[in-house]
Amino acid sequence: YPDSFPKPYRDYLSWAHTQGYSSRYAGAMVADVHRILLKGGVFLYPPTEKAPNGQLRLMYEANPMAMIVEQAGGVAYAGTERILEIEPSAVHERCCVVLGSKDEVERVTARLQHG
C-alpha cells in the first residue's frame, strides 16, 4: 500500500530502505508491536486515500498499544499528535498510528512536520 501513503511517509520508507531497514507486516497489530518491543523499529499505519483519517480505532487499538509502547520507553503518535493525548469524539473513531522506538518515530514525525 505505500503508493497510497502521503508523501512524507513514502519518503521515510524510502530513506529507511536505503539505510538497510526492511519492512515487515504480519497483518496483526499486536504481533507487529510485539516484534517492535523485542527488536526495536517503528510501526506505521498511515492515512491512505481510502482511509484519510487512518484505519485503526483510537479507543481499542491505538490507545492500548500506545500505552504499552510508551511504558516500554517508546513513543506513539497519530501523525504529529501524541496518541494518548487525543480526546476521543466517538467510540469507533479512527486514527493513523506511528509508534515504536523514540528515535525512529522522531524520524517519521520530523518528515510529517516538514512535508
Side-chain angles (χ1 to χ4, degrees):
Y1 299 105
D3 292 340
S4 68
F5 297 166
K7 186 174 182 337
Y9 289 98
R10 291 192 320 263
D11 290 346
Y12 170 77
L13 290 172
S14 177
W15 172 85
H17 289 144
T18 64
Q19 300 301 307
Y21 294 3
S22 61
S23 296
R24 305 238 187 285
Y25 178 67
M29 184 183 195
V30 172
D32 290 329
V33 171
H34 179 259
R35 185 175 195 287
I36 286 166
L37 289 170
L38 294 176
K39 301 200 180 262
V42 63
F43 174 90
L44 297 175
Y45 211 122
T48 62
E49 294 166 3
K50 291 175 81 173
N53 293 327
Q55 186 67 25
L56 298 176
R57 287 159 187 94
L58 174 65
M59 294 293 293
Y60 44 92
E61 292 172 319
N63 272 336
M65 292 298 112
M67 179 172 235
I68 290 168
V69 166
E70 288 195 4
Q71 289 295 308
V75 292
Y77 284 87
T80 58
E81 183 178 10
R82 191 169 161 255
I83 289 174
L84 294 176
E85 292 179 354
I86 298 172
E87 188 169 327
S89 59
V91 174
H92 304 293
E93 178 179 352
R94 294 175 188 261
C95 69
C96 58
V97 174
V98 178
L99 60 77
S101 61
K102 185 178 181 206
D103 293 342
E104 287 306 314
V105 172
E106 285 176 355
R107 285 189 180 104
V108 178
T109 56
R111 283 177 169 76
L112 296 176
Q113 291 170 349
H114 297 104

